[in-house]
Amino acid sequence: MTNNSNSEDIAAARIQELRELIQYHNERYYSLDSPEIPDADYDALFRELNQLEQLHPNLITADSPTQTVGGTTINTFEEVVHRTPMMSLDNSFSIEQLEAWADRVRKGLQEEKTDPQWVCELKFDGLAVSLIYEEGKLVQAATRGDGTTGEDVTANVQTIKSIPHRLPEKAPAFLEVRGEVYMSLTAFVELNKSQQSSGEKTYANPRNTAAGSLRQKDSKITATRNLSFWAYAVGGIEGQELQDSHLDTLHFLKELGLPVNEKAKKFEDFSSVIDFINQIEKTRHDLDYEIDGVVVKVDALSMQDTLGATARAPRWAMAYKLPPEEQTTTLLDIEVSIGAGGQATPFARLNPVVVGGSTVSTATLHNSDQVEAKDVRPGDTVIVRKAGDVIPEVVRPVLSERHPDSTPWKFPTHCPVCESLLVRPQGEAATFCPNHACPAQVRGRISHFVSRGAMDIEGFGEQTVDLFVSQGLISDVADIFTLDMERIAKFEGFGETSINNLKTAIEESKNQPLGRLLFGLRIPHVGTTVADLVARSFKNLDGLEQATIEDLEEVEGLGPVIAASIHDWLREKHNQQLLSKIREAEINLTAVSSSISSTETQLLEGMSIVVTGTLSVMKREEAKAAILERGGKSPGSVSSSTTFLVAGEGGGSKLLKAESLNIPVLDEESFIQLLKTGKVSDSN
Ligand code: IVH
């Protein structure tokens, strides 16, 4: 009791201090235009206040900086429920896939008297918004959000110069315009130049910068970001009728003064669609904005109605994703990094180059065979490729530009961190540092243990791990639970609050289910799914430790290799010592999180729920973990025994398979409902 009220008093004092500090810096920044501290420091203060308020909700006051912006009281953006859902698009990655879609469309339109016509548009790489005009006046702008509910960003959208606040007289009584907010390359380069000259951080790519700019709590900041907009659809109209044509709809929007991209074109036959794509592929770099594909749509709105939509995307439209982008640059050097398991991975240091919208200065070379096969050498001009969020890769050297004196690169014989002799086990592509105590490995193991998919200990970033390891505070993951906080308090940057936050995060992690712990321990071949399976099968650590190889092999989904790996790992002397240290820390060693109720653990029993694509509210592993925690299964592929497919953004082939097998597809909202109640509403 005394302890609780003590910590509450400390929190209240720090909260008060933070509020005063933030208010002071707000004034310097917004009113005096003369900030005293970098944004990152300001953000850290804000985050600290937010975290403390989350821990002590009774201390939140209406005038706290977390609840107000420039005088108006807003915590987050207001929610907007879209009148009709804002759907996603299905993707094709080859012309064959696109043609297969066109065939499906023709089939779906067999009853129609005429063949469909196709409209091709660019696929703008920004973020979707809905604009509502009532009696010609822009009254609301919202982000797509989860498709059903978005965020009200009206004040911010009003700062986008090309979006009219008023439409001409002839506008319908009600009009919902849908389109993409984006940042032009010119605006992006300008913004980064100004950031650089004022010593601020530069932004990685136009898309994320546009998204961040649109979600600013202060629209004055959005106004400085020079965002743009392309309208590409009508979400709803009252008081007038649209022509039965998507291209005519675009012309209609243009006549109302909305920005419509001039590249949109209509074609009679599909071979012209393919010609259009080829031409865009060649000229995409001439554009002053980024695109990630071409969208092909059935032109007649009546045909679009006939074709309808799946839970996620219309059947009448398809995105053709352009292949990843490539650039050339100089390979400055090849270095080797040591991973948590000791793998020595070569990577290229590059002269920084913008590829696929973001600056790339390092790229993986995977292993020594790959370096040899590609024969890339320091000093070479190389081709670098980046596809979406995928790690950048060195494709090949440009031989015509190679220096005549260049010699092949040789894999180092010794670990660059601890200087142990590197080993390459026979038959394996990877090379390893065999020293378990190598600081790079220790850091890697700890970083993995605290990561989101494992024990999820917040505030334990790479720098903190580096500091604690180099200061000798931690040498294995169990040391996290006996950290000497008094020593840490002496380090720069570790005030009372950050120490308290760290303590809380560590304490909370002790409730994680056993699966998280097993995954965190990096047992060879044990990923999140296997870790959860094993934990649930043996219920607790004691049960698992007593299991024979045969018991392990009996677990559905475990083969002899994984079974032996787990069995051997548990019997290795160092690992046993580690486990006994972990036991002493009194952490939860049962398959169920100590913070989930026992009724919840049965909620999804008997269900097999596959997750695909990118979810906005949680990571895919978290979604899977949530299913497993509630007694369900979450295999990696769709089959006839799948109960539901949860489809996030970009979940291509699994979605097609689910549709062909008539498996119900859930969007994120229905999935959350399923997790809470064990049921989904009938509309799914
Ligand atoms: S039409 C119901 N047209 O792509 C279909 N979307 O991956 C609505 N996008 O959320 C979308 N350019 O943000 C359409 N010319 C275009 C587009 C486009 C970009 C985005 C949009 C959508 C995402 C789906």
Side-chain angles (χ1 to χ4, degrees), residues 87-89 91 121-128 144 179-180 232-233 295 297 314 316-317 649:
M87 305 203 96
S88 191
L89 285 170
N91 294 319
E121 283 168 36
L122 304 184
K123 187 168 188 302
F124 314 109
D125 205 3
L127 65 154
R144 187 176 78 163
E180 198 87 349
Y232 52 61
V295 186
K297 299 175 179 173
W316 47 263
E649 181 88 18

Side-chain angles (χ1 to χ4, degrees), residues 273-535:
V273 168
I274 294 160
D275 291 345
F276 179 91
I277 290 174
N278 287 333
Q279 200 243 332
I280 293 299
E281 206 166 330
K282 283 196 211 111
T283 53
R284 66 190 290 195
H285 293 295
D286 303 341
L287 303 168
D288 189 31
Y289 44 85
E290 290 206 325
I291 58 167
D292 58 341
V294 169
V295 186
V296 188
K297 299 175 179 173
V298 169
D299 183 55
L301 305 189
S302 51
M303 290 185 179
Q304 294 184 356
D305 279 348
T306 308
L307 290 162
T310 65
R312 203 189 87 88
R315 292 197 184 87
W316 47 263
M318 178 58 80
Y320 175 83
K321 293 304 261 300
L322 289 173
E325 294 202 64
E326 294 184 350
Q327 279 293 345
T328 54
T329 188
T330 311
L331 191 155
L332 302 172
D333 204 358
I334 299 177
E335 295 177 22
V336 168
S337 72
I338 305 294
Q343 314 91 311
T345 307
F347 68 97
R349 280 220 180 274
L350 304 165
N351 206 3
V353 61
V354 178
V355 194
S358 56
T359 307
V360 171
S361 50
T362 55
T364 180
L365 288 164
H366 304 288
N367 55 48
S368 69
D369 289 350
Q370 289 259 347
V371 188
E372 214 170 291
K374 287 180 178 166
D375 186 22
V376 279
R377 308 173 184 185
D380 274 352
T381 299
V382 291
I383 295 172
V384 179
R385 178 191 299 168
K386 186 164 177 283
D389 287 338
V390 175
I391 309 167
E393 164 179 55
V394 174
V395 184
R396 59 173 182 278
V398 179
L399 291 175
S400 57
E401 296 194 18
R402 175 169 281 169
H403 195 276
D405 298 340
S406 136
T407 52
W409 180 76
K410 289 233 166 19
F411 207 92
T413 49
H414 290 79
C415 171
V417 180
C418 71
E419 295 182 357
S420 303
L421 191 66
L422 294 175
V423 291
R424 181 170 173 183
Q426 229 181 1
E428 282 200 32
T431 307
F432 292 89
C433 163
N435 175 13
H436 194 72
C438 169
Q441 292 192 43
V442 175
R443 281 195 292 266
R445 286 196 294 271
I446 291 165
S447 287
H448 173 81
F449 188 78
V450 300
S451 69
R452 278 181 83 185
M455 298 297 274
D456 193 13
I457 308 183
E458 224 175 283
F460 227 116
E462 300 232 327
Q463 276 177 347
T464 308
V465 174
D466 277 356
L467 178 72
F468 292 175
V469 172
S470 63
Q471 294 295 320
L473 280 161
I474 342 182
S475 56
D476 63 38
V477 298
D479 290 339
I480 291 173
F481 301 104
T482 53
L483 269 173
D484 181 350
M485 294 296 176
E486 275 175 26
R487 260 191 77 194
I488 295 174
K490 297 203 179 93
F491 297 149
E492 204 180 312
F494 284 88
E496 206 164 311
T497 315
S498 34
I499 297 228
N500 281 337
N501 287 347
L502 190 62
K503 276 189 194 161
T504 312
I506 293 171
E507 275 313 304
E508 280 174 2
S509 77
K510 292 183 178 175
N511 297 327
Q512 294 285 18
L514 178 63
R516 294 286 198 116
L517 174 71
L518 294 179
F519 174 62
L521 290 171
R522 297 192 82 263
I523 303 170
H525 306 293
V526 177
T528 44
T529 312
V530 169
D532 278 317
L533 261 177
V534 170

Side-chain angles (χ1 to χ4, degrees), residues 52-320:
L52 273 176
E53 289 185 342
Q54 297 305 320
L55 288 173
H56 303 275
N58 55 319
L59 298 177
I60 300 179
T61 57
D63 64 352
S64 169
T66 58
Q67 312 295 308
T68 57
V69 165
T72 35
T73 307
I74 49 164
N75 185 11
T76 51
F77 295 94
E78 292 284 345
E79 283 193 348
V80 172
V81 177
H82 300 300
R83 291 170 140 233
T84 45
M86 290 183 76
M87 305 203 96
S88 191
L89 285 170
D90 284 334
N91 294 319
S92 287
F93 296 94
S94 68
I95 296 296
E96 290 71 39
Q97 285 177 3
L98 189 68
E99 283 178 325
W101 165 73
D103 285 342
R104 288 199 298 280
V105 167
R106 289 190 199 97
K107 235 186 188 162
L109 295 171
Q110 261 162 2
E111 308 288 329
E112 305 279 338
K113 287 177 222 77
T114 51
D115 273 339
Q117 297 200 335
W118 314 94
V119 174
C120 289
E121 283 168 36
L122 304 184
K123 187 168 188 302
F124 314 109
D125 205 3
L127 65 154
V129 295
S130 135
L131 311 177
I132 307 266
Y133 287 91
E134 283 175 1
E135 305 299 343
K137 187 170 180 282
L138 176 64
V139 293
Q140 186 183 73
T143 60
R144 187 176 78 163
D146 64 3
T148 311
T149 312
E151 289 175 315
D152 188 332
V153 286
T154 315
N156 290 348
V157 163
Q158 278 169 338
T159 70
I160 301 177
K161 292 193 193 77
S162 61
I163 295 183
H165 290 203
R166 273 212 163 272
L167 300 179
E169 289 274 66
K170 59 183 175 189
F174 173 89
L175 180 70
E176 181 182 353
V177 180
R178 291 187 175 173
E180 198 87 349
V181 166
Y182 67 98
M183 184 175 273
S184 72
L185 290 171
T186 310
F188 178 68
V189 171
E190 282 298 315
L191 174 65
N192 267 350
K193 260 195 216 153
S194 103
Q195 291 287 108
Q196 215 158 23
S197 62
S198 54
E200 306 276 13
K201 67 158 191 180
T202 53
Y203 295 96
N205 65 60
R207 203 215 85 90
N208 290 350
T209 316
S213 303
L214 197 67
R215 294 197 68 264
Q216 289 291 326
K217 285 188 175 178
D218 182 353
S219 48
K220 274 191 256 156
I221 301 181
T222 316
T224 64
R225 296 291 170 83
N226 204 357
L227 297 174
S228 306
F229 177 75
W230 293 124
Y232 52 61
V234 166
I237 184 166
E238 282 165 27
Q240 269 180 45
E241 288 237 8
L242 292 172
Q243 304 286 324
D244 189 14
S245 154
H246 175 65
L247 194 67
D248 287 349
T249 303
L250 293 181
H251 290 152
F252 163 75
L253 291 172
K254 190 163 184 203
E255 275 177 20
L256 291 177
L258 286 147
V260 173
N261 188 269
E262 70 288 353
K263 299 266 182 207
K265 278 209 173 56
K266 180 149 82 176
F267 300 107
E268 296 262 356
D269 54 53
F270 211 72
S271 63
S272 309
V273 168
I274 294 160
D275 291 345
F276 179 91
I277 290 174
N278 287 333
Q279 200 243 332
I280 293 299
E281 206 166 330
K282 283 196 211 111
T283 53
R284 66 190 290 195
H285 293 295
D286 303 341
L287 303 168
D288 189 31
Y289 44 85
E290 290 206 325
I291 58 167
D292 58 341
V294 169
V295 186
V296 188
K297 299 175 179 173
V298 169
D299 183 55
L301 305 189
S302 51
M303 290 185 179
Q304 294 184 356
D305 279 348
T306 308
L307 290 162
T310 65
R312 203 189 87 88
R315 292 197 184 87
W316 47 263
M318 178 58 80
Y320 175 83

